């Protein structure tokens, strides 16, 4: 048995990973007061700037989004749209092409094996991209950074891979498009660095 | 990469509110990851130091020659080998899964003695040494002998080791009450019918000359779901070669899916169809007149008798059009003698009808002139190897064998077996041993050995069996798994699996008769022991040491092999010794010998011996029992990946087929409002309920019957994978009809109704159970 | 160069799963995932029925969508046409699992992707794959398509009909289904109702 060439992640790595996952979770949750607060207070912009600096990326140029437009855009991109939504927000769907398919099952099993459970209040599917990212933050936080990284690479990255372009193309809010582009770049950077 | 003081940024983002860390973090499925990309794959077994040894498979009774690969002290893989006439290099799914039985963590590990004062079935045991266990058994056996006689101990056995426990030890001890479920719960009618028709049993494993046949008619014979390896190979090869197949079955079986004609017969009417075929072959004079003239007796009586069984008569009974009956008969005749109606294995279907059906089946074959002819039934005998020199047993073993004829019990100082006189045949009938345990008639049975027989999943009327067990003074179970019936025993003796042991030579009647040997691939795990050792040690305790004059199995086997000029060492290199057979009548005639051991020396249509006994000398059709309205006749069969009720704790096989389902015709399901895959209960005519079991709503079955695969529905909490999955057909068999010829128990005389709305039992996946088991 | 391929005669296959169990032990495939599984589908109405037993596994596509998506290059096509994975290089990203339209790949609990590799270790020794060796209906044949005398070439020539699994995808499967029992070919594709 050989050991894979991999160094233990530093505290900074973990903090970056955690922040990235937080931002993913924050971006794709349904647009309610919490998101508005983060936007209005500038906390979200600040977080993006911090991540951009850490990863040597350009921070997203967020347009000052009109709140109603943002909400409408969310619905159009992720919930329901006359022409079909741009991006079903489920990581399992991005991987398997079916809802609650094998990847979603595997993901659920893995979460529960890590002691992470679905809240009763959560009414959407468990592999919603925001929920999965939130799970990642719990893992990163709970000192399981490798698990969080694997989650990022294995489940979140494919979702971005599949839908980022469509989201950018269809976004009218000026928020989801740039954020998606930025987050995808950040994922690439984090996984690249983790592997180097 | 750097991240300054801002890593504490307070985003409300973190609380999407979807997930939470639960109170208990379970052990991880993917240690360290999701899954963990850091862990390198382990080395492969085949890259290590692999040794192989010979064995023959015990995952079912077929006993295919097997080569076992061991690496790192563990059995890694089993394979067939080309030189062996049974495996011919291949194994069926069950054989392939043999290592998973050896490494089943739920196995019995030590001898156990039931805690004094606890109820049978309560499952309270203490561990014991082998010596203590044997002492306990011997003491009870002596007490039974002194009070009731040696005959009051009964033995039931199944598997290679049953030679020790259902034949040798009972013969040495002195009881004719020894039986194998593989006779009266399986093959009895075909054996009795065969002996009284051909003067030979159905030796070996259904002696069909598949390689030469051109036309095959299967009657309720589930090849493909029965994965009897060689048979399946030859069947498939025959079809690939272009042989035509007709399947008669109320269900569109796997074999039916391969057939050119499927005749969805009304259940329990097969004999009518066979009699009509006899009628057509004779009326249209398309039978093999030359063969009949030369080799048979009683054709005139048969012709006269069969005249009444016209296709029109049969159509009304079987629901198969008369034209179809005629057409198939003509096709058979056109291909004769290379047309064959193979005899099945499990033929105890309807009781009174069974021996008639078997004889009618044989008669069609004889009329086609195929018995002892290429493309029909070949003739075979087991090779002869001397026994180890030992004193003659006080009583000739009475159990008979599923592949041989019934055993005649001659003059003997012992009382006849408790089932004597209930039926015509002379092999013992396992289900008939139960009643005397309760009633004490004709004399009490007070002790019972169950070796490898699952008595709650084979003998009908399970509650009666449990009642009988409560009446016993001694009940010993020898097994490898804590099956439900095992956990009722007073003493439980853990046998090791076949990969861990020697066994006696296997002498196989086959087109090319052969001898095969079994060598242990690894040492027995835990404190388990091989059957030969258990029988011998117990025999010595019982004062029967003189009948076991060998020190160990190596000596025993070597001595036996020396009688054919071989040795244990040679066998270890070779695995199998193949002999030449005499498969066809012509091979016998060349030697001026007659293969037919009937009183007349001919194939007998009309049986004087049956007539003398007051039985029908020619086969007749008996109207089947009808069920209550709203009920379906309960049919059962096999899963290709399971054997009896034996393999349902094997992780690999359970993963392939983890639960049975009840097949229900689509229109009936619509009527009952049952949807596909929904859980239902099955309730039989006596109110016994099984399930929850899934409904398999399908076009593949008639509307008057339902079907489940046998062996599921274990009620054995110690068998973690098997327990509580699916429904048991045996538990729903609360009545049977005794075949007056063979002593077989006709089991398909039970009816069930479907009770919708059973709760989903929320079975865990096998993978989940395996994980939990490995963490326990 | 050679093009290793497999053919399964559906007229003979009975869906017994001996192949799958053999594969499980040969390749130490963990409980919970499989390299090889059987799809069993019935169409028609009583008594006019067709039941097809169809083993499925990696098809060793000539144009495999699973290979180019791999970020580390651990998925590759060998010179003999076997589509293979180098587990040591696999980071478990699952991109190939998503890319395979036949669901042939699975995640090994140890964190790397795995699938049927035509038992390359046996092929290297001149043996047949474990599933081919044990199949009691002898319905599987294996060998080099470029060799007209290989078992698989002979089987393909002798077949009444040959079907590929979803040929429209352009993946170029090298697993051939021979003599499908239904007149129109493989059952269980879109638009057919099973009974
Ligand atoms: S038929 Fe299968 S289970 Fe039975 S002995 Fe042969 S390989 Fe073993
Ligand atoms: S072993 Fe052969 S017959 Fe059985 S399922 Fe596999 S391919 Fe089909
Ligand atoms: S079947 Fe799937 S895994 Fe196999 S080569 Fe084709 S795309 Fe790749
Ligand atoms: S070729 Fe080998 S790895 Fe592939 S399915 Fe068959 S046994 Fe499994």
């Amino acid at each position: 048995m050989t050991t894979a060439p991999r160094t233990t992640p530093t505290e900074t790595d973990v903090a970056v990973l955690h922040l990235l996952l937080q931002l993913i979770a924050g971006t794709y949750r349904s647009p309610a007061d919490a998101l508005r607060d983060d936007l209005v207070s500038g906390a979200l912009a600040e977080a993006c700037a911090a991540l951009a600096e850490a990863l040597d990326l350009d921070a997203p140029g967020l347009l000052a989004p009109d709140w109603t437009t943002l909400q409408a855009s969310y619905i159009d991109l992720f919930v329901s749209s006359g022409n079909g939504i741009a991006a079903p927000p489920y990581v399992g769907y991005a991987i398997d092409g079916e809802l609650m398919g094998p990847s979603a099952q595997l993901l659920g099993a893995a979460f529960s094996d890590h002691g992470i459970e679905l809240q009763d209040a959560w009414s959407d599917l468990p592999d919603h991209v925001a929920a999965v990212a939130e799970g990642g933050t719990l893992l990163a936080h709970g000192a399981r950074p490798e698990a969080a990284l694997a989650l990022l690479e294995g489940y979140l990255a494919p979702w971005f891979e599949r839908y980022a372009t469509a989201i950018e193309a269809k976004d009218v809010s000026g928020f989801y498009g740039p954020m998606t582009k930025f987050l995808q770049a950040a994922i690439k950077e984090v996984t690249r660095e983790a592997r180097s | 990469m750097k991240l300054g003081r801002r890593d504490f940024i307070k985003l409300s983002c973190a609380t999407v509110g979807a997930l939470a860390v639960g109170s208990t973090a379970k052990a991880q499925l993917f240690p360290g990851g999701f899954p963990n990309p850091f862990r390198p794959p382990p080395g492969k077994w085949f890259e290590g130091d692999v040794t192989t040894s010979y064995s023959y498979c015990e995952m079912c009774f077929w006993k295919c020659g097997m080569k076992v690969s061991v690496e790192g002290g563990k059995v890694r893989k089993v394979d067939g080998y080309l030189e062996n006439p049974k495996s011919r290099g291949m194994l069926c799914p069950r054989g392939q899964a043999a290592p998973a039985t050896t490494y089943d963590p739920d196995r019995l590990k030590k001898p156990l003695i039931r805690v004094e004062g606890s109820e049978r079935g309560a499952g309270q045991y203490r561990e014991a040494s082998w010596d203590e266990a044997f002492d306990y058994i011997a003491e009870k056996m002596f007490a039974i002998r002194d009070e009731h006689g040696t005959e009051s101990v009964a033995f039931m056995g199944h598997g290679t080791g049953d030679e020790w426990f259902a034949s040798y030890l009972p013969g040495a001890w002195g009881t004719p009450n020894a039986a194998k479920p593989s006779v009266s719960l399986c093959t009895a009618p075909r054996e009795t019918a065969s002996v009284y028709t051909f003067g030979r049993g159905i030796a070996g494993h259904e002696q069909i000359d598949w390689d030469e046949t051109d036309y095959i008619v299967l009657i309720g014979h589930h090849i493909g779901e029965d994965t009897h390896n060689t048979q399946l190979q030859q069947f498939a090869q025959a079809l690939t070669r272009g042989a035509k197949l007709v399947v008669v079955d109320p269900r569109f079986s796997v074999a039916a899916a391969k057939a050119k004609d499927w005749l969805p017969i009304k259940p329990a009417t097969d004999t009518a169809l066979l009699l009509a075929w006899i009628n057509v072959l004779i009326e249209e004079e398309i039978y093999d007149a030359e063969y009949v003239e030369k080799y048979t007796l009683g054709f005139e009586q048969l012709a006269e008798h069969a005249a009444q069984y016209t296709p029109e008569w049969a159509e009304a009974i079987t629901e198969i059009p008369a034209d179809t009956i005629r057409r198939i008969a003509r096709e058979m005749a056109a291909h004769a003698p290379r047309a064959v109606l193979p005899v099945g294995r499990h033929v105890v279907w309807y009781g009174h009808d069974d021996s008639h059906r078997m004889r009618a089946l044989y008669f069609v074959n004889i009329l086609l002139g195929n018995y002892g002819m290429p493309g029909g039934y070949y003739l075979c005998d087991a090779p002869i190897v001397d026994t180890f020199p030992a004193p003659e047993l006080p009583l000739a073993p009475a159990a008979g064998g599923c592949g041989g004829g019934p055993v005649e019990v001659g003059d003997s100082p012992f009382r006849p077996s408790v089932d004597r006189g209930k039926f015509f045949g002379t092999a013992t009938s396992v289900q008939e041993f139960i009643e005397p345990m309760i009633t004490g008639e004709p004399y009490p049975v007070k002790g019972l050995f169950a070796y490898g027989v699952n008595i709650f999943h084979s003998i009908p009327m399970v509650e009666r069996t449990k009642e009988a067990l409560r009446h016993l003074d001694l009940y010993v179970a020898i097994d490898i798994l804590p099956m439900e019936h095992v956990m009722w025993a007073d003493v439980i003796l853990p046998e090791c699996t076949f990969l861990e042991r020697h066994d006696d030579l296997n002498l196989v009647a086959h087109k090319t008769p052969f001898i095969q040997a079994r060598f242990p691939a690894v040492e027995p795990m835990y404190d388990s022991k091989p059957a030969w050792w258990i029988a011998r040690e117990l025999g010595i305790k019982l004062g029967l040491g003189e009948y076991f004059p060998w020190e160990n199995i190596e000596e025993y086997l070597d001595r036996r092999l020396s009688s054919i000029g071989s040795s244990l060492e040679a066998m270890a290199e070779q695995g199998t010794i193949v002999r030449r057979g005499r498969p066809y009548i012509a091979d016998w005639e060349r030697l001026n010998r007659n293969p037919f051991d009937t009183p007349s020396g001919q194939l007998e249509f009309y049986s004087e011996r049956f007539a003398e006994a007051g039985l029908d000398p020619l086969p007749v059709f008996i109207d089947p029992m009808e069920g209550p309205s709203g009920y379906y006749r309960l049919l059962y069969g096999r899963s290709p990946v399971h054997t009896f009720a034996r393999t349902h704790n094997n992780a690999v096989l359970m993963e392939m087929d983890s639960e049975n389902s009840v097949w229900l015709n689509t229109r009936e399901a619509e009527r009952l409002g049952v949807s596909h895959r929904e859980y239902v209960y099955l309730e039989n005519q006596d109110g016994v309920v099984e399930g929850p079991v899934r409904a398999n709503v399908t076009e593949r079955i008639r509307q008057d019957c339902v079907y489940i695969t046998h062996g599921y529905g274990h009620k054995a909490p110690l068998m973690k994978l098997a327990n509580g999955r699916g429904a048991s057909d045996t538990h729903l068999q609360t009545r049977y009809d005794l075949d007056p010829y063979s002593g077989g128990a006709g089991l398909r005389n039970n009816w069930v109704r479907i009770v919708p709305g059973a709760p989903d039992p929320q079975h865990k996946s096998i993978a989940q159970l395996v994980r939990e088991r490995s963490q326990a | 160069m050679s093009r290793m391929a497999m053919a399964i005669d559906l007229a003979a296959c009975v869906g017994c799963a001996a192949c799958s169990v053999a594969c499980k032990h040969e390749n130490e495939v963990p409980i919970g995932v499989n390299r090889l599984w059987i799809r069993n589908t019935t169409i028609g109405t009583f008594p006019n029925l067709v039941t097809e037993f169809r083993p499925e596994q990696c098809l060793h596509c000539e144009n495999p969508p699973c290979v180019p998506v791999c970020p580390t290059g651990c998925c590759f096509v060998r010179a003999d046409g076997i589509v293979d994975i180098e587990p040591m290089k696999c980071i478990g990203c699952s991109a190939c699992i998503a890319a395979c339209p036949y669901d042939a790949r699975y995640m090994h609990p140890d964190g790397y992707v795995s699938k049927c590799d035509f038992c390359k270790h046996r092929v290297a020794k001149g043996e047949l794959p474990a599933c081919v060796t044990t199949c009691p209906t002898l319905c599987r044949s294996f060998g080099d398509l470029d060799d007209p005398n290989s078992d698989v070439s002979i089987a393909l020539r002798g077949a009444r009909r040959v079907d590929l699994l979803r040929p429209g995808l352009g993946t170029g499967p090298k697993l051939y289904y021979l003599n499908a029992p239904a007149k129109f070919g493989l059952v269980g594709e879109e638009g057919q109702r099973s009974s």
Side-chain angles (χ1 to χ4, degrees):
Chain A
M1 296 266 277
T2 48
T3 336
R6 189 73 87 138
T7 48
T8 335
T10 64
E11 268 180 51
T12 315
D13 293 341
V14 175
V16 167
L17 184 60
H18 190 241
L19 184 56
L20 171 57
L21 289 160
Q22 271 195 320
L23 273 169
I24 300 173
T27 303
Y28 301 103
R29 72 193 137 158
S30 55
D33 289 352
L35 178 61
R36 180 143 67 170
D37 291 348
D38 285 339
L39 283 169
V40 173
S41 71
L44 199 120
E46 202 183 345
C48 288
L51 188 68
E53 190 187 335
L55 296 172
D56 212 3
L57 294 170
D58 292 334
L62 297 183
L63 302 177
D66 167 65
W67 183 246
T68 332
T69 314
L70 186 144
Q71 283 182 317
S73 184
Y74 184 88
I75 303 283
D76 189 54
L77 291 169
F78 307 116
V79 184
S80 97
S81 163
N83 313 317
I85 52 176
Y90 308 109
V91 299
Y93 187 86
I95 296 171
D96 303 331
E98 59 173 314
L99 289 176
M100 291 315 288
S103 302
Q105 306 289 348
L106 192 67
L107 182 69
F111 268 130
S112 91
D113 279 358
H114 282 280
I116 294 174
E117 281 148 21
L118 201 65
Q119 302 260 31
D120 287 345
W122 181 253
S123 56
D124 210 322
L125 294 182
D127 65 336
H128 191 287
V129 62
V132 174
E134 188 191 27
T137 67
L138 298 175
L139 288 169
H141 195 66
R144 293 200 197 287
E146 342 69 36
L149 181 64
L151 181 72
L152 185 72
E153 290 183 311
Y155 297 92
L156 289 165
W159 185 80
F160 280 89
E161 201 84 355
R162 180 150 177 185
Y163 296 122
T165 323
I167 295 172
E168 281 168 56
K170 273 192 83 182
D171 173 46
V172 291
S173 67
F175 172 72
Y176 291 108
M179 276 308 282
T180 302
K181 188 173 175 194
F182 170 66
L183 291 170
Q184 189 183 20
I187 292 172
K188 281 209 178 111
E189 195 53 28
V190 165
T191 51
R192 193 185 61 76
E193 286 206 18
R195 253 188 259 115
S196 64
Chain B
M1 182 189 301
K2 61 186 189 315
L3 195 68
R5 49 155 206 85
R6 278 176 292 189
D7 25 322
F8 52 84
I9 285 165
K10 295 277 173 294
L11 281 173
S12 54
C13 309
T15 50
V16 175
L19 302 163
V21 180
S23 50
T24 51
K26 283 183 270 167
Q28 294 161 27
L29 170 60
F30 305 123
F34 244 79
N36 180 355
F38 302 87
R39 214 145 125 235
K44 299 281 192 185
W45 67 270
F46 45 74
E47 290 159 359
D49 201 2
V50 180
T51 55
T52 61
S53 56
Y54 285 108
S55 185
Y56 53 88
C57 180
E58 187 77 33
M59 294 298 284
C60 84
F61 53 83
W62 201 263
K63 302 191 174 106
C64 299
M66 182 184 259
K67 230 175 175 166
V68 185
S69 296
V70 171
E71 185 268 342
K74 243 189 121 175
V75 176
R76 302 294 184 168
K77 180 88 200 306
V78 294
D79 289 288
Y81 57 102
L82 287 173
E83 300 76 14
N84 183 277
K86 274 261 145 89
S87 67
R88 313 196 306 172
M90 297 159 246
L91 295 177
C92 86
R94 302 158 301 160
Q96 279 291 350
T101 289
T102 297
Y103 299 111
D104 183 340
D106 295 341
R107 271 176 60 180
L108 292 168
K109 301 181 176 71
K110 287 188 122 284
L112 299 171
I113 295 180
R114 184 163 57 84
V115 170
E116 262 75 7
S118 71
E119 284 279 300
R120 286 205 178 94
Q124 288 177 285
Y125 287 90
R126 62 181 170 87
E127 290 187 353
S129 68
W130 280 93
D131 208 44
E132 193 185 355
F134 288 141
D135 279 335
Y136 183 101
I137 296 168
E139 192 187 314
K140 298 267 180 170
M141 282 179 78
F142 291 140
I144 294 170
R145 178 194 62 192
D146 294 345
E147 196 179 335
H148 305 284
T150 52
E151 302 91 338
S152 289
V153 179
F155 289 81
M156 297 176 183
H158 197 216
T160 302
D162 69 9
E163 281 305 310
W164 298 114
F165 285 100
S167 294
Y168 202 81
L169 191 60
W173 169 254
T175 178
N177 293 309
K180 301 179 185 179
S182 47
V183 181
S184 69
L185 298 175
C186 193
T187 61
R190 73 168 207 194
E191 294 304 325
T192 302
S194 176
V195 168
Y196 287 88
T197 304
F198 305 130
R200 309 173 65 85
I202 297 295
H205 287 139
E206 293 92 50
Q207 55 208 78
I208 304 304
D209 200 12
W210 298 103
D211 296 345
E212 302 288 338
T213 199
D214 294 331
Y215 195 93
I216 303 159
V217 182
L218 297 180
I219 315 266
H221 191 336
H222 303 161
I223 301 179
E225 286 151 313
D226 289 343
T227 41
H228 305 151
N229 190 3
T230 334
Q231 183 181 65
L232 178 54
Q233 294 174 22
Q234 294 180 303
F235 168 75
Q237 280 177 307
L239 297 187
T240 303
R241 195 164 42 75
K244 300 193 175 64
L245 174 67
V246 176
V247 171
V248 179
D249 203 310
R251 187 175 62 92
F252 190 68
S253 61
V254 168
K258 307 292 178 196
K260 76 174 189 62
D261 282 289
W262 171 43
L263 313 184
I265 193 168
K266 181 171 186 221
T269 67
D270 310 78
T271 308
L273 174 65
L274 290 161
L275 290 170
W277 277 338
I278 293 173
N279 173 291
V280 178
L281 290 172
I282 296 176
E283 294 293 315
E284 300 193 2
E285 295 184 10
I286 49 176
Y287 64 95
D288 187 334
E290 201 183 318
Y291 182 96
V292 165
E293 167 68 27
K294 195 161 168 199
Y295 298 116
T296 70
L297 185 76
F299 177 73
E300 294 309 319
Q301 286 117 311
L302 176 68
E304 198 180 311
H305 175 70
Q308 57 188 308
Y309 301 126
T310 62
E312 285 69 23
W313 165 83
E315 171 174 341
I317 294 168
T318 61
E319 299 179 10
I320 297 172
D323 286 350
T324 308
I325 298 176
R326 282 206 175 81
R327 174 172 60 85
I328 303 287
R330 288 172 195 152
E331 288 177 12
M332 282 185 225
H335 290 86
R338 292 175 189 269
V340 67
L341 289 74
V343 56
R345 190 165 192 88
H346 178 94
V347 293
V348 287
W349 298 351
Y350 307 112
H352 269 80
D353 170 70
D354 291 337
S355 290
H356 292 303
R357 186 180 71 251
M358 287 297 106
R359 295 188 75 221
L361 179 95
Y362 297 149
F363 289 5
V364 178
N365 282 295
I366 296 173
L367 292 172
L368 296 171
N370 75 22
Y371 188 77
M373 291 292 179
Y377 282 57
Y378 63 75
L379 308 172
C380 61
D381 292 291
I384 293 170
V385 178
D386 287 353
T387 55
F388 194 100
E392 200 185 330
L393 296 176
L395 177 64
C402 49
V407 176
E408 299 288 347
V409 187
D411 286 340
S412 133
F414 297 93
R415 283 177 286 179
S417 58
V418 286
D419 59 349
R420 196 55 52 230
K422 289 192 174 181
F423 49 88
F424 180 81
T426 49
T428 50
S429 194
V430 78
Q431 77 280 354
E432 304 306 318
F433 287 8
I434 305 294
E435 200 67 30
M437 296 179 192
I438 300 171
T439 62
E441 296 299 331
Y443 56 85
V445 171
K446 291 307 230 180
L448 175 66
F449 279 74
Y451 168 83
V453 185
N454 195 324
I455 60 176
F456 293 170
H457 281 271
S458 56
I459 301 174
M461 305 171 72
V462 177
E463 285 308 315
R464 184 187 67 154
T465 307
K466 290 183 178 172
E467 177 61 21
L469 295 183
R470 291 194 191 95
H471 282 78
L472 295 176
D473 293 345
L474 173 69
Y475 170 31
V476 181
I478 304 152
D479 217 302
I480 61 170
L481 282 165
M483 306 272 185
E484 188 194 2
H485 76 281
V486 169
M487 302 316 289
W488 276 63
D490 302 337
V491 184
I492 299 172
L493 304 177
E495 195 187 11
C496 55
T497 64
F498 77 97
L499 293 174
E500 306 164 292
R501 68 186 198 228
H502 278 104
D503 257 305
D504 206 344
L505 299 172
N506 184 219
L507 312 176
V508 188
H510 194 75
K511 198 169 176 185
T512 51
F514 66 100
I515 300 154
Q516 54 182 353
R518 177 179 285 164
F519 293 88
V522 288
E523 287 297 305
M525 290 171 77
Y526 320 115
D527 197 7
S528 61
K529 298 282 185 187
W532 70 265
W533 182 90
I534 303 172
R536 181 170 181 272
E537 295 296 313
L538 180 60
I540 292 168
K541 282 273 180 195
L542 293 171
L544 307 170
E546 59 173 317
Y547 302 110
F548 298 88
W550 45 87
E551 278 302 308
N552 51 42
I553 191 80
E554 286 91 342
E555 182 194 344
Y556 172 93
L557 291 170
D558 198 52
R559 177 70 192 247
R560 289 198 71 189
L561 284 164
S562 71
S563 79
I564 53 162
S566 183
S567 68
L568 196 56
E569 210 181 321
M571 243 359 217
E573 294 299 311
Q574 193 178 1
T576 304
I577 298 175
V578 182
R579 290 287 159 90
R580 261 193 58 202
R582 284 195 300 263
Y584 304 128
I585 297 176
D587 298 318
W588 292 68
E589 286 173 341
R590 256 196 303 280
L591 302 169
N592 274 323
R593 289 187 53 191
N594 179 1
F596 313 130
D597 192 13
T598 52
S600 62
Q602 305 241 277
L603 302 175
E604 296 188 354
F605 287 125
Y606 183 90
S607 173
E608 290 289 353
R609 289 173 291 172
F610 287 161
E612 277 163 25
L615 296 165
D616 287 304
L618 286 164
V620 297
F621 172 71
I622 297 163
D623 263 330
M625 277 190 206
E626 286 300 336
S629 82
Y631 284 69
Y632 303 92
R633 192 183 284 271
L634 176 64
L635 304 180
Y636 51 84
R638 293 285 194 77
S639 160
V641 302
H642 286 297
T643 301
F644 311 127
R646 228 195 244 176
T647 50
H648 296 70
N649 212 57
N650 177 303
V652 174
L653 296 178
M654 270 310 253
E655 191 185 18
M656 302 286 157
D657 194 357
S658 63
E659 196 179 340
N660 61 357
S661 57
V662 53
W663 294 37
L664 177 66
N665 178 283
T666 318
R667 274 155 296 282
E668 293 301 309
E670 270 163 25
R671 210 169 52 72
L672 297 170
V674 170
S675 51
H676 186 51
R677 311 265 309 146
E678 165 184 343
Y679 278 98
V680 298
Y681 290 113
L682 299 178
E683 183 184 340
N684 83 349
Q685 71 280 343
D686 294 321
V688 172
V689 177
E690 270 288 308
V693 58
R694 283 191 194 278
N696 172 23
V697 175
T698 179
E699 295 286 331
R700 290 177 61 185
I701 191 163
R702 282 173 60 97
Q703 284 173 255
D704 49 7
C705 49
V706 295
Y707 167 88
I708 58 177
T709 46
H710 172 75
Y712 290 88
H714 281 258
K715 293 140 187 77
L718 299 179
M719 303 207 339
K720 308 242 169 42
L721 308 188
N723 188 41
R725 290 184 105 93
S728 159
D729 54 335
T730 311
H731 284 71
L732 293 166
Q733 289 159 356
T734 50
R735 71 164 95 158
Y736 65 89
D737 187 37
L738 186 70
D739 173 17
Y741 292 78
S742 69
L747 299 173
R748 296 190 179 167
N749 297 310
N750 289 276
W751 285 267
V752 296
R753 69 185 189 94
I754 309 284
V755 185
D760 183 335
Q762 312 270 347
H763 290 309
K764 290 180 183 167
S765 71
I766 297 298
Q768 173 77 18
L769 290 171
V770 166
R771 230 181 299 141
E772 286 175 10
R773 218 167 49 157
S774 69
Q775 284 155 11
Chain C
M1 283 291 278
S2 45
R3 286 156 68 224
M4 301 317 272
M6 198 180 279
I8 304 179
D9 182 354
L10 299 185
C13 175
V14 294
C16 71
C19 48
S20 191
V21 178
C23 179
K24 201 103 185 170
H25 281 97
E26 180 76 30
N27 297 298
E28 294 172 291
V29 180
I31 300 285
V33 286
N34 280 303
R35 287 184 174 197
L36 158 49
W37 60 96
I38 323 289
R39 204 178 285 277
N40 158 350
T41 320
T42 300
I43 53 170
T45 46
F46 184 99
N48 301 310
L49 300 169
V50 172
T51 296
E52 177 195 271
F53 304 96
R54 186 170 81 214
E56 294 185 4
Q57 61 200 72
C58 172
L59 312 157
H60 296 273
C61 305
E62 297 208 87
N63 181 17
C66 56
V67 169
V69 300
C70 176
T72 68
C74 76
C75 302
F76 61 104
V77 185
R78 300 181 0 153
D80 61 2
I82 295 179
V83 178
D84 201 6
I85 299 162
E86 171 48 72
M88 286 298 292
K89 284 201 211 147
C90 175
I91 53 154
C93 77
S94 305
C96 59
I97 297 185
C100 169
Y102 304 106
D103 263 346
R105 295 172 168 246
Y106 60 89
M107 182 64 69
H108 192 284
D110 284 348
Y112 56 90
V113 167
S114 196
K115 67 168 187 70
C116 161
D117 59 6
F118 271 172
C119 289
K120 59 175 191 255
H121 62 287
R122 294 175 63 105
V123 175
K125 288 187 285 178
E127 293 172 359
L128 291 168
C131 55
V132 177
T133 303
T134 211
C135 170
T137 68
L138 297 91
C139 70
R140 289 169 172 265
S141 30
F142 180 79
D144 180 1
L145 287 179
D146 288 342
D147 172 3
N149 297 317
S150 68
D151 289 353
V152 73
S153 301
I154 294 169
L156 280 165
R157 279 200 302 277
R160 248 184 356 265
R161 69 173 286 153
V162 179
D163 284 285
L164 292 174
L165 202 53
R166 282 183 269 157
L169 298 174
T171 49
K174 288 207 283 11
L175 174 67
Y176 299 90
Y177 293 107
L178 313 183
N179 307 329
K183 282 194 205 75
F184 48 78
L186 299 176
V187 303
E189 303 283 332
E190 260 131 276
Q192 290 166 18
R193 184 184 163 278
S194 63
S195 331

